[in-house]
Amino acid sequence: MPEPRAREVVVRAPAKINLHLGVGGVREDGFHPLATVYQAIALFSTVTVVPADQWAVTCRAEPGIAVDQVPLGPTNLALRAARLLAERHGIEKPVAIHLDKGIPVAGGLAGGSADAAATLLACAHLWGLPTDDLAGLAAELGSDVPFGLVGGTASGLGRGEVIAPLVDNGEHHWVLLTFEDGLSTPAVYAEFDALHDGLEVPEPVIPDALVSALASGSSTALGGVLGNDLQEAALSLRPALDDVLRAGREAGALAGLVSGSGPTCLFLARDMAHRVELADRLAGGVAGAKVLTAHGPVPGATVVGLTLLDGTTTDGRVE
Ligand code: C5P
């Protein structure tokens, strides 16, 4: 069994948005083939792991994030991540995991996947395990979890778990309208299937125009090529999102779309000043919505605090 290396590790992992979410017809395993472009944005889940007598997970969230929707039992994705890593390496030492959630729950922003990605990296450091082969375990936990490790801007193929970084020369500014009442990802995919019943669904592809817009670094160019094949299904389940998208357009966004399976709506600004203006215009204007802002791309899961067994911390301080 590897030697434990640390007595507390803190890792933060970002939310994801999909700049393009191309969805194909449902596969035999129940998943859908995807051709997506992910971007990691500066909304974070911060995860702390410490050795403990029993496996445990606790959670707090920022105001407006529905913490009561997070399961704290064995189905919690962060707990599953820690136990999976332990099982694969024959580790029998439990950890207590604390989630500090800054990413809305069931919002189409991969908040649970960020928790899982952060937990994998944190436990690998705690237990002195290699950190360069976590992608396979991440893919077992969920389609979006591998991207949570990598971050930046990247394409996602397969069911979203096959990640390749993309050149993104921009800094893009987003306004997000989030809702406490989330949407279930499987329900949105099921609605996609119902809407395409009897229709030929083409194989999804990553648009060349999107790859070029990212390389150009221009948010204006990017605004012209965003797309989400799940948007129609999310709007069908939550028709009020149509008014939200209209509000963003009328407030002057370069573009607006549903994030992943929703219900979060994303609005692209020209630059930081425009982002502030847009957020001000949208604040209070949409019933039940919370306005958040974030830039992207940002890095994937990152260690932000590590206390070694002798009490030494990452920044050299000794407790
Ligand atoms: O992979 P993940 O656990 O995040 O997926 C959650 C659910 O979303 C799946 O059970 C499936 O219903 C749906 N899904 C899908 N096709 C994908 C990814 C997710 O149908 N590519």
Side-chain angles (χ1 to χ4, degrees), residues 26-27 30-34 113 139 141-144 158-160 185-187 189-190:
V26 63
R27 306 191 312 205
F31 285 90
H32 294 71
L34 301 187
S113 299
L141 290 160
S143 309
D144 296 333
R159 60 180 171 87
T185 303
Y189 275 103

Side-chain angles (χ1 to χ4, degrees), residues 20-318:
H20 174 81
L21 180 49
V23 182
V26 63
R27 306 191 312 205
E28 281 191 355
D29 64 1
F31 285 90
H32 294 71
L34 301 187
T36 189
V37 174
Y38 294 110
Q39 183 169 90
I41 60 167
L43 286 181
F44 298 99
S45 194
T46 305
V47 174
T48 305
V49 295
V50 294
D53 295 333
Q54 286 181 11
W55 296 99
V57 59
T58 54
C59 181
R60 79 161 277 284
E62 286 172 18
I65 296 179
V67 71
D68 53 314
Q69 287 173 26
V70 179
L72 297 177
T75 58
N76 181 279
L77 200 57
L79 193 56
R80 285 177 47 210
R83 299 188 82 153
L84 185 65
L85 183 66
E87 182 194 304
R88 292 299 154 86
H89 290 273
I91 287 169
E92 283 159 13
K93 294 181 177 163
V95 294
I97 304 165
H98 180 69
L99 310 173
D100 212 329
K101 289 177 85 75
I103 306 173
V105 179
L109 295 166
S113 299
D115 295 345
T119 303
L120 283 177
L121 187 62
C123 288
H125 278 280
L126 192 77
W127 293 326
L129 301 174
T131 56
D132 50 7
D133 62 350
L134 297 173
L137 291 184
E140 287 182 44
L141 290 160
S143 309
D144 296 333
V145 183
F147 177 70
L149 289 170
V150 176
T153 302
S155 58
L157 300 177
R159 60 180 171 87
E161 87 284 20
V162 182
I163 305 298
L166 285 172
V167 174
D168 184 350
N169 285 313
E171 182 179 71
H172 306 292
H173 293 276
W174 301 94
V175 176
L176 296 84
L177 289 194
T178 72
F179 303 86
E180 275 203 46
D181 190 12
L183 273 175
S184 141
T185 303
V188 175
Y189 275 103
E191 184 69 7
F192 175 90
D193 293 341
L195 290 168
H196 293 85
D197 191 26
L199 302 174
E200 185 78 19
V201 185
E203 271 302 297
V205 289
I206 291 179
D208 291 340
L210 173 52
V211 176
S212 306
L214 289 167
S216 80
S218 157
S219 291
T220 308
L222 182 63
V225 291
L226 299 171
N228 179 358
D229 287 350
L230 288 183
Q231 180 159 309
E232 189 190 3
L235 289 175
S236 167
L237 294 178
R238 190 71 64 83
L241 292 180
D242 213 11
D243 298 335
V244 181
L245 293 173
R246 188 171 325 107
R249 278 195 299 273
E250 286 172 4
L254 290 175
L257 78 169
V258 169
S259 180
S261 54
T264 301
C265 291
L266 301 168
F267 300 103
L268 182 61
R270 275 190 308 277
D271 51 30
M272 175 75 107
H274 186 217
R275 171 177 117 182
V276 173
E277 207 179 286
L278 206 52
D280 275 354
R281 283 195 193 142
L282 288 168
V286 177
K290 179 178 172 189
V291 179
L292 297 173
T293 61
H295 70 278
V298 297
T302 306
V303 177
V304 292
L306 190 133
T307 308
L308 298 177
L309 289 175
D310 65 2
T312 316
T313 60
T314 38
D315 61 2
R317 279 185 295 112
V318 177

